[in-house]
Amino acid sequence: MKQVDASEITALVSRLYLEANFVLPADVVTCLKGAFKREESPLGRNVLEALLKNAEIAACERVPLCQDTGLAVVFAEIGQELHITGGSLEEAVDMGVARAQAEGYLRASVVRDPIFERVNTGDNTPAMLHIDSVSGEELKLTVLPKGAGSENMSRLAMLKPSDGVDGMTRFIIETVLAAGANPCPPIFLGIGVGGTMDRAALLSKKALLRPAGSANSDPNLASLESRILDHVNALGIGPGGFGGTVTCLGVAIEESPCHIASFPVAVNIQCNSARRASGNL
């Protein structure tokens, strides 16, 4: 059985959180460059050019891509043959986020009491940690800093099975239309379908971990992703919300079996700064 000390997890989370905030993933940069070539609006092209320049400066100078350095969403895939020593996974992850927040001068964006006092925790913890048990003895960590501008525009609906694909598509389009410029388009859409209310929401966030612009391995879902992408881009919201032909850079759908009487659909919107970083121990 492989053993990993909690301090190693803390160090990895800290490194990944800084990397995610400073360096835009190569696949996202490729999507932005493709959007710049396709965009028909001169103002939209100016916005995309500024976003690409921003990414270049952030990576070179090691400064945040955005002033909202995000709530730390962390996905952990833990091998069944791996044992963590010297502390718990949760504590190690939070320590890593706090270390990155201090070392990178990242914004503290978490309040402990969401209802009444809303006092800032001061170190961007706790992280939102999602754990999956997998075979083997490896630990894979993926950090997804999630800004409020896009997260606040996300929605979930418990549709009726009779609503079907058309009802699902309508809900997604309505969500993007209501969001407008708020989530900093061009956006990415993570869509979770099925399971229960909470499962659909989690799937929608996991969908954002897919390579930017990639198609689902299921041809039916891939076709639906493409159709939804066309519908969203036809809305004309455009880069920065100033109008244009590129409102969305990619649609990713993840599904799960559900109850015969249910049709949960969750839409998690991600901004153009689709930050994420992964590492293994």
Side-chain angles (χ1 to χ4, degrees):
M1 177 175 284
K2 180 178 178 180
Q3 292 192 359
V4 170
D5 192 84
S7 62
E8 297 178 67
I9 298 173
T10 294
L12 178 58
V13 169
S14 177
R15 178 175 65 79
L16 292 176
Y17 202 62
L18 289 172
E19 189 73 11
N21 266 292
F22 297 160
V23 182
L24 198 61
D27 54 326
V28 178
V29 172
T30 298
C31 277
L32 287 171
K33 288 180 177 178
F36 179 78
K37 293 178 181 179
R38 298 192 309 276
E39 180 55 61
E40 297 175 7
S41 162
L43 183 53
R45 287 171 61 86
N46 287 343
V47 171
L48 291 165
E49 185 178 28
L51 293 176
L52 287 166
K53 184 63 175 178
N54 180 73
E56 181 182 333
I57 293 171
C60 290
E61 299 189 10
R62 303 294 290 180
V63 294
L65 286 151
C66 176
Q67 51 84 22
D68 185 348
T69 54
L71 180 63
V73 181
V74 180
F75 295 90
E77 294 182 5
I78 306 178
Q80 295 175 340
E81 302 302 318
L82 180 135
H83 178 59
I84 298 172
T85 61
S88 70
L89 175 63
E90 291 84 354
E91 291 170 339
V93 167
D94 281 349
M95 287 178 65
V97 171
R99 181 184 297 178
Q101 190 271 337
E103 292 181 359
Y105 300 98
L106 307 182
R107 193 179 81 182
S109 300
V110 178
V111 291
R112 188 165 303 283
D113 175 5
I115 302 174
F116 300 109
E117 297 181 354
R118 295 186 69 87
V119 175
N120 200 300
T121 62
D123 60 5
N124 221 37
T125 67
M128 302 295 111
L129 178 61
H130 303 286
I131 303 172
D132 287 320
S133 178
V134 297
S135 60
E137 58 177 20
E138 299 297 314
L139 172 63
K140 179 180 179 181
L141 294 172
T142 300
V143 171
L144 180 79
K146 196 66 165 63
S150 60
E151 188 73 1
N152 289 351
M153 297 296 106
S154 302
R155 295 172 68 195
L156 180 142
M158 301 302 289
L159 301 179
K160 300 185 296 292
S162 59
D163 289 327
V165 173
D166 288 343
M168 169 185 162
T169 303
R170 204 160 40 242
F171 169 66
I172 295 167
I173 300 304
E174 290 171 355
T175 298
V176 175
L177 195 56
N182 291 311
C184 302
I187 58 174
F188 292 90
L189 291 176
I191 300 168
V193 185
T196 52
M197 178 185 72
D198 53 314
R199 178 67 173 169
L202 178 58
L203 286 173
S204 71
K205 186 145 280 148
K206 282 189 172 183
L208 296 176
L209 302 180
R210 286 232 318 253
S214 65
N216 199 294
S217 58
D218 182 315
N220 289 325
L221 289 178
S223 176
L224 181 57
E225 290 171 346
S226 179
R227 294 202 303 275
I228 291 172
L229 180 63
D230 288 342
H231 283 307
V232 171
N233 282 327
L235 295 175
I237 296 170
F242 295 113
T245 50
V246 182
T247 297
C248 184
L249 296 172
V251 176
I253 300 174
E254 296 296 328
E255 65 173 6
S256 173
C258 68
H259 192 281
I260 56 173
S262 293
F263 188 19
V265 178
V267 180
N268 198 205
I269 299 180
Q270 177 65 298
C271 65
N272 62 77
S273 189
R275 302 162 292 181
R276 67 183 186 282
S278 298
N280 294 70
L281 288 173

mmCIF file of all heavy atoms in Angstrom, residues 10-11 14-15 18 22 62 95-106:
data_model
loop_
_atom_site.group_PDB
_atom_site.id
_atom_site.type_symbol
_atom_site.label_atom_id
_atom_site.label_comp_id
_atom_site.label_asym_id
_atom_site.label_seq_id
_atom_site.Cartn_x
_atom_site.Cartn_y
_atom_site.Cartn_z
ATOM 1 N N THR A 10 -0.577 19.135 0.692
ATOM 2 C CA THR A 10 -0.614 20.589 0.895
ATOM 3 C C THR A 10 0.264 21.301 -0.123
ATOM 4 O O THR A 10 -0.145 22.298 -0.740
ATOM 5 C CB THR A 10 -0.157 20.943 2.320
ATOM 6 O OG1 THR A 10 -1.111 20.443 3.261
ATOM 7 C CG2 THR A 10 -0.008 22.442 2.507
ATOM 8 N N ALA A 11 1.475 20.787 -0.318
ATOM 9 C CA ALA A 11 2.404 21.404 -1.266
ATOM 10 C C ALA A 11 1.861 21.346 -2.691
ATOM 11 O O ALA A 11 1.968 22.318 -3.455
ATOM 12 C CB ALA A 11 3.760 20.716 -1.182
ATOM 13 N N SER A 14 -1.159 23.782 -3.159
ATOM 14 C CA SER A 14 -0.659 25.154 -3.217
ATOM 15 C C SER A 14 -0.097 25.464 -4.601
ATOM 16 O O SER A 14 -0.404 26.506 -5.199
ATOM 17 C CB SER A 14 0.414 25.375 -2.152
ATOM 18 O OG SER A 14 0.951 26.678 -2.230
ATOM 19 N N ARG A 15 0.709 24.556 -5.117
ATOM 20 C CA ARG A 15 1.315 24.758 -6.442
ATOM 21 C C ARG A 15 0.242 24.813 -7.531
ATOM 22 O O ARG A 15 0.272 25.681 -8.419
ATOM 23 C CB ARG A 15 2.310 23.642 -6.744
ATOM 24 C CG ARG A 15 2.955 23.750 -8.124
ATOM 25 C CD ARG A 15 4.008 22.704 -8.356
ATOM 26 N NE ARG A 15 3.498 21.344 -8.390
ATOM 27 C CZ ARG A 15 2.883 20.804 -9.451
ATOM 28 N NH1 ARG A 15 2.676 21.531 -10.545
ATOM 29 N NH2 ARG A 15 2.463 19.566 -9.417
ATOM 30 N N LEU A 18 -1.902 28.102 -7.425
ATOM 31 C CA LEU A 18 -1.172 29.240 -7.991
ATOM 32 C C LEU A 18 -1.088 29.107 -9.509
ATOM 33 O O LEU A 18 -1.306 30.082 -10.237
ATOM 34 C CB LEU A 18 0.224 29.322 -7.381
ATOM 35 C CG LEU A 18 0.302 29.755 -5.917
ATOM 36 C CD1 LEU A 18 1.721 29.605 -5.385
ATOM 37 C CD2 LEU A 18 -0.183 31.200 -5.753
ATOM 38 N N PHE A 22 -2.553 31.720 -12.392
ATOM 39 C CA PHE A 22 -1.587 32.486 -13.172
ATOM 40 C C PHE A 22 -1.516 32.087 -14.641
ATOM 41 O O PHE A 22 -1.182 32.925 -15.488
ATOM 42 C CB PHE A 22 -0.176 32.346 -12.580
ATOM 43 C CG PHE A 22 -0.024 32.901 -11.185
ATOM 44 C CD1 PHE A 22 1.028 32.493 -10.378
ATOM 45 C CD2 PHE A 22 -0.925 33.819 -10.672
ATOM 46 C CE1 PHE A 22 1.186 32.999 -9.091
ATOM 47 C CE2 PHE A 22 -0.791 34.322 -9.388
ATOM 48 C CZ PHE A 22 0.271 33.919 -8.594
ATOM 49 N N ARG A 62 3.511 36.168 -13.612
ATOM 50 C CA ARG A 62 3.025 35.385 -12.472
ATOM 51 C C ARG A 62 2.087 36.220 -11.594
ATOM 52 O O ARG A 62 2.255 36.355 -10.387
ATOM 53 C CB ARG A 62 4.185 34.839 -11.633
ATOM 54 C CG ARG A 62 5.183 33.987 -12.388
ATOM 55 C CD ARG A 62 4.574 32.695 -12.869
ATOM 56 N NE ARG A 62 4.280 31.766 -11.777
ATOM 57 C CZ ARG A 62 3.736 30.542 -11.956
ATOM 58 N NH1 ARG A 62 3.411 30.144 -13.155
ATOM 59 N NH2 ARG A 62 3.512 29.758 -10.910
ATOM 60 N N MET A 95 -5.016 23.667 3.880
ATOM 61 C CA MET A 95 -3.719 24.278 4.153
ATOM 62 C C MET A 95 -3.029 24.690 2.852
ATOM 63 O O MET A 95 -2.366 25.726 2.783
ATOM 64 C CB MET A 95 -2.840 23.319 4.951
ATOM 65 C CG MET A 95 -3.256 23.146 6.401
ATOM 66 S SD MET A 95 -2.226 21.942 7.292
ATOM 67 C CE MET A 95 -0.635 22.784 7.271
ATOM 68 N N GLY A 96 -3.203 23.878 1.806
ATOM 69 C CA GLY A 96 -2.615 24.204 0.510
ATOM 70 C C GLY A 96 -3.237 25.450 -0.103
ATOM 71 O O GLY A 96 -2.541 26.302 -0.656
ATOM 72 N N VAL A 97 -4.557 25.566 0.017
ATOM 73 C CA VAL A 97 -5.250 26.744 -0.503
ATOM 74 C C VAL A 97 -4.818 27.994 0.266
ATOM 75 O O VAL A 97 -4.538 29.036 -0.327
ATOM 76 C CB VAL A 97 -6.779 26.555 -0.414
ATOM 77 C CG1 VAL A 97 -7.506 27.858 -0.751
ATOM 78 C CG2 VAL A 97 -7.236 25.443 -1.350
ATOM 79 N N ALA A 98 -4.742 27.882 1.585
ATOM 80 C CA ALA A 98 -4.341 29.022 2.417
ATOM 81 C C ALA A 98 -2.910 29.447 2.106
ATOM 82 O O ALA A 98 -2.607 30.646 2.051
ATOM 83 C CB ALA A 98 -4.470 28.658 3.893
ATOM 84 N N ARG A 99 -2.038 28.476 1.886
ATOM 85 C CA ARG A 99 -0.642 28.794 1.562
ATOM 86 C C ARG A 99 -0.556 29.536 0.224
ATOM 87 O O ARG A 99 0.170 30.528 0.089
ATOM 88 C CB ARG A 99 0.195 27.512 1.509
ATOM 89 C CG ARG A 99 1.661 27.755 1.195
ATOM 90 C CD ARG A 99 2.438 26.461 1.052
ATOM 91 N NE ARG A 99 2.458 25.689 2.304
ATOM 92 C CZ ARG A 99 3.039 24.505 2.431
ATOM 93 N NH1 ARG A 99 3.649 23.954 1.380
ATOM 94 N NH2 ARG A 99 3.034 23.877 3.591
ATOM 95 N N ALA A 100 -1.313 29.047 -0.766
ATOM 96 C CA ALA A 100 -1.304 29.692 -2.082
ATOM 97 C C ALA A 100 -1.859 31.105 -1.993
ATOM 98 O O ALA A 100 -1.339 32.036 -2.627
ATOM 99 C CB ALA A 100 -2.121 28.871 -3.075
ATOM 100 N N GLN A 101 -2.895 31.277 -1.194
ATOM 101 C CA GLN A 101 -3.514 32.600 -1.045
ATOM 102 C C GLN A 101 -2.509 33.598 -0.489
ATOM 103 O O GLN A 101 -2.441 34.748 -0.940
ATOM 104 C CB GLN A 101 -4.748 32.488 -0.141
ATOM 105 C CG GLN A 101 -5.618 33.728 -0.104
ATOM 106 C CD GLN A 101 -5.207 34.710 0.971
ATOM 107 O OE1 GLN A 101 -4.559 34.316 1.951
ATOM 108 N NE2 GLN A 101 -5.556 35.975 0.798
ATOM 109 N N ALA A 102 -1.704 33.150 0.472
ATOM 110 C CA ALA A 102 -0.708 34.038 1.088
ATOM 111 C C ALA A 102 0.477 34.265 0.158
ATOM 112 O O ALA A 102 0.908 35.410 -0.043
ATOM 113 C CB ALA A 102 -0.238 33.443 2.413
ATOM 114 N N GLU A 103 1.008 33.202 -0.422
ATOM 115 C CA GLU A 103 2.201 33.321 -1.265
ATOM 116 C C GLU A 103 1.921 34.074 -2.566
ATOM 117 O O GLU A 103 2.771 34.804 -3.063
ATOM 118 C CB GLU A 103 2.751 31.930 -1.576
ATOM 119 C CG GLU A 103 3.340 31.211 -0.363
ATOM 120 C CD GLU A 103 3.898 29.843 -0.719
ATOM 121 O OE1 GLU A 103 3.815 29.449 -1.914
ATOM 122 O OE2 GLU A 103 4.404 29.160 0.202
ATOM 123 N N GLY A 104 0.718 33.889 -3.117
ATOM 124 C CA GLY A 104 0.395 34.511 -4.397
ATOM 125 C C GLY A 104 -0.335 35.824 -4.271
ATOM 126 O O GLY A 104 -0.706 36.412 -5.290
ATOM 127 N N TYR A 105 -0.543 36.269 -3.033
ATOM 128 C CA TYR A 105 -1.299 37.498 -2.787
ATOM 129 C C TYR A 105 -2.665 37.440 -3.495
ATOM 130 O O TYR A 105 -3.102 38.399 -4.124
ATOM 131 C CB TYR A 105 -0.508 38.732 -3.233
ATOM 132 C CG TYR A 105 0.809 38.883 -2.526
ATOM 133 C CD1 TYR A 105 1.992 38.446 -3.123
ATOM 134 C CD2 TYR A 105 0.867 39.432 -1.240
ATOM 135 C CE1 TYR A 105 3.209 38.565 -2.457
ATOM 136 C CE2 TYR A 105 2.079 39.554 -0.579
ATOM 137 C CZ TYR A 105 3.242 39.111 -1.185
ATOM 138 O OH TYR A 105 4.444 39.218 -0.523
ATOM 139 N N LEU A 106 -3.314 36.286 -3.373
ATOM 140 C CA LEU A 106 -4.617 36.093 -3.996
ATOM 141 C C LEU A 106 -5.714 36.678 -3.110
ATOM 142 O O LEU A 106 -5.563 36.766 -1.897
ATOM 143 C CB LEU A 106 -4.875 34.604 -4.226
ATOM 144 C CG LEU A 106 -3.785 33.823 -4.984
ATOM 145 C CD1 LEU A 106 -4.203 32.375 -5.164
ATOM 146 C CD2 LEU A 106 -3.484 34.473 -6.329
#
